[in-house]
Amino acid sequence: MENISKFTADRLAKLRRMREKGIDPYGGAFPKSYDAGPLVDSYSEDQEGESVAVAGRLMAVRSHGKSTFADLHDWTGKVQVHFSQKRVGDELYEVVGLLDLGDIVGVEGKVGKTRTGEVTVFAESLTVLSKAVHPLPEKYHGLRDIELRSRHRSLDLIANRESMEQALQRSEIIAGLRGFLSEQGFIEVETPMMQAIPGGAAARPFITHHNALDIDLYLRISPELYLKRLLCGGMERVFEINRNFRNEGVSNKHNPEFTMLEVYEAYGDYESMMRLVEEMVATVARDVMGRLEFTFGEHEIDLTPPWPRRRFSDILEEYADVELFDGADLRRRATELGVDDADEQHHLALIDEVFKRTVELEIIHPTFITHQPAELAPLCRRSPEDPRLSERFEVLVAGFELANAYTELNDPAVQREEFVRQLERRDEGTVGRLDEEFLLEMEHGMPPAGGLGLGVDRLLMILLEKTSLRDVILFPLMRPDNSDVESAASSG
RNA sequence: GGGGGCAUAGCUCAGUUGGAAGAGCAACGGCCUUUUAAGCCGUAGGUCGGAGGUUCGAGCCCUCCUGCCCUCACCA
């Protein structure tokens, strides 16, 4: 305890004085009759004098001697409370003097308006529910430091009202996705996060170990293969909203764990998925945010369906002036764009590279890019009109990939060939093993299906108008702050 | 991993050419029964991210380290 601040010492002294008065500074259950926001917003004159109970955190105190006003914040908003020495009595009014900003209290009293017209609870009793022994960030500017806001999200939520609102909106948006899919006859399922073979994508996995079975397991990079097993098992419309884990870089569009929505519809295809995704996104945007137009950085984005559909080869030609299957042309353009060793790279890598450097960042309005080269998508059915292409689309918006969907490959023999081909050219760090169990199930028959993966955090970036993924994830990955841990350990 | 930037009181921020570390809010003491970022009087609060170096003298210049931000690379 040798390291405590003057602020903490003062607050601990007040805490002791409360105890001396027989008051537990960490009270128990306190049934509220109103949340602050609704009480204030829906107040009507005929409520005047009604006994109410409110609770929350003290965010401002304006004391005038024998009368004290305070702002009580909860997650719905704030309500002013008023303590008068005459009304609450000398004993309790002394306790008011022992309160600090940040303390959590319950107040019972009669609701009414002050002479300036502010809805106020005129306290008759006060219950201390939690004494804060550290000071809060400043009341006016809030907490600005982006590092502190991410590391100490609770302080961010307390001090910055908009952070709380965005966290609540995130929940509403995800509930909206669930509601939309449920209404369309999809059911939510949960599939393994820990997988013996990390499949469904080509990414470096996190590795862990199960002691009792003595086996290594991988945190999933995708739920795809398990969801398809459910299709094999006869579940016709399934979705999962859950975390994927990829052991890769961190950026304002990437977090090592991120929330993915995957949807599978038996007897559908990539076209049915196009209709589903544009309608789903527009519905949620309208229902939760009340609009379809959003500002993203310096761009305006309109989510109104239908979204334009462009073939990969066409858009590559338009933006990059490259013929998709002309290898020499591709190498020429890649070299122009500054790709290293363009002559030695596989043409698929070059396609990817040229696409990212010329097209991806340019597509701001939500756009379906369809018919990518088949080899980029080993789980996708090939296009009957041109087997070099796949029945696939990606949704590009605001310069990044929002969603990816296939007509799912359901021919087990072709699937096996694709897996083998993928293993041959897999990147270092990825796990290369044939998922025989998955293939066996497909060999028993998998219905044709449309499948969709949508990055939920990225959708939230657009709907909440945040250009950094960290701003829509409550606890983004941060390097541990050791100085903090040490001081916490020594003072605790 | 490369390049650039930031780090000053609990919080939000100033700090000039290298010459005595500041303000607002918060805190503490006092006055005050209708305030709204309450007000007035007074007080206290600092390892200037860390470690070295240059200098008579470093918050400021140099080197290294740590964390974060931006950007490039990586990343279906």
Side-chain angles (χ1 to χ4, degrees), chain A residues 1 22 24 68 96 116 173 184 187 194 219 234 279 293 411:
Chain A
M1 298 288 278
D24 181 356
T68 298
V96 173
T116 57
I173 287 163
Q184 304 280 317
I187 64 151
M194 296 193 292
L219 301 189
E279 196 187 333
E293 288 170 17
D411 179 333

Side-chain angles (χ1 to χ4, degrees), chain A residues 90-362:
Chain A
D90 294 351
E91 267 299 298
L92 200 55
Y93 199 74
E94 274 183 49
V95 178
V96 173
L98 297 176
L99 295 176
D100 287 299
L101 297 187
D103 290 354
I104 299 172
V105 299
V107 172
E108 291 169 280
K110 293 196 167 61
V111 67
K113 280 190 174 179
T114 62
R115 70 178 184 194
T116 57
E118 176 148 0
V119 176
T120 299
V121 176
F122 295 94
E124 289 161 6
S125 76
L126 164 70
T127 309
V128 182
L129 299 173
S130 186
K131 183 76 187 149
V133 300
H134 295 296
L136 286 182
E138 198 225 358
K139 62 183 175 184
Y140 187 63
H141 295 94
L143 190 65
R144 291 285 180 78
D145 185 291
I146 184 65
E147 183 178 354
L148 287 178
R149 289 177 54 190
S150 300
R151 283 192 193 282
H152 302 286
R153 186 64 82 187
S154 63
L155 295 181
D156 180 36
L157 293 170
I158 293 165
N160 301 317
R161 179 66 209 169
E162 66 275 16
S163 293
M164 173 66 83
E165 276 166 10
Q166 282 155 16
L168 299 178
Q169 281 171 334
R170 176 178 175 123
S171 174
E172 285 178 43
I173 287 163
I174 291 174
L177 294 173
R178 289 197 161 98
F180 177 89
L181 289 166
S182 174
E183 208 139 282
Q184 304 280 317
F186 290 85
I187 64 151
E188 184 170 9
V189 296
E190 292 167 277
T191 62
M193 297 263 187
M194 296 193 292
Q195 303 178 350
I197 302 173
R204 297 164 74 160
F206 289 94
I207 305 175
T208 187
H209 186 79
H210 187 283
N211 290 337
L213 298 185
D214 190 25
I215 51 172
D216 282 338
L217 290 170
Y218 301 88
L219 301 189
R220 74 175 185 196
I221 54 177
S222 159
E224 176 155 352
L225 301 190
Y226 284 92
L227 290 168
K228 284 181 176 173
R229 291 203 209 185
L230 297 179
L231 292 178
C232 296
M235 299 183 79
E236 296 189 9
R237 281 189 292 280
V238 296
F239 74 94
E240 178 164 11
I241 295 180
N242 232 321
R243 226 66 65 80
N244 287 350
F245 306 86
R246 296 185 182 179
N247 202 342
E248 288 162 356
V250 178
S251 78
N252 58 9
K253 290 171 189 148
H254 299 83
N255 195 58
E257 54 177 311
F258 60 98
T259 300
M260 186 75 139
L261 164 65
E262 290 215 359
V263 183
Y264 290 84
E265 179 189 26
Y267 312 112
D269 64 5
Y270 78 123
E271 294 209 15
S272 68
M273 288 294 108
M274 279 194 238
R275 292 189 293 272
L276 180 125
V277 69
E278 65 187 1
E279 196 187 333
M280 176 172 67
V281 168
T283 299
V284 170
R286 201 160 34 225
D287 289 355
V288 179
M289 305 306 292
R291 58 202 160 102
L292 289 171
E293 288 170 17
F294 296 87
T295 302
F296 190 84
E298 54 198 22
H299 302 296
E300 300 297 323
I301 294 170
D302 184 352
L303 299 178
T304 306
W307 299 340
R309 305 178 179 193
R310 302 295 308 278
R311 294 176 72 99
F312 188 86
S313 56
D314 291 347
I315 207 156
L316 200 62
E317 200 172 329
E318 179 183 330
Y319 282 80
D321 189 28
V322 161
E323 185 63 39
L324 178 55
F325 289 110
D326 184 338
D329 196 28
L330 198 61
R331 266 188 290 280
R332 171 191 62 79
R333 194 73 182 94
T335 305
E336 278 174 18
L337 290 165
V339 177
D340 295 337
D341 306 326
D343 290 338
E344 296 161 28
Q345 291 200 31
H346 194 280
H347 76 276
L348 285 175
L350 288 180
I351 288 169
D352 207 37
E353 200 65 44
V354 170
F355 184 80
K356 279 181 175 163
R357 288 177 190 230
T358 56
V359 182
E360 192 163 285
L361 294 170
E362 299 296 323

Side-chain angles (χ1 to χ4, degrees), chain A residues 66 219 427 431 481 486:
Chain A
K66 296 184 170 65
L219 301 189
D427 294 329
V431 174
D481 181 352
E486 280 163 26

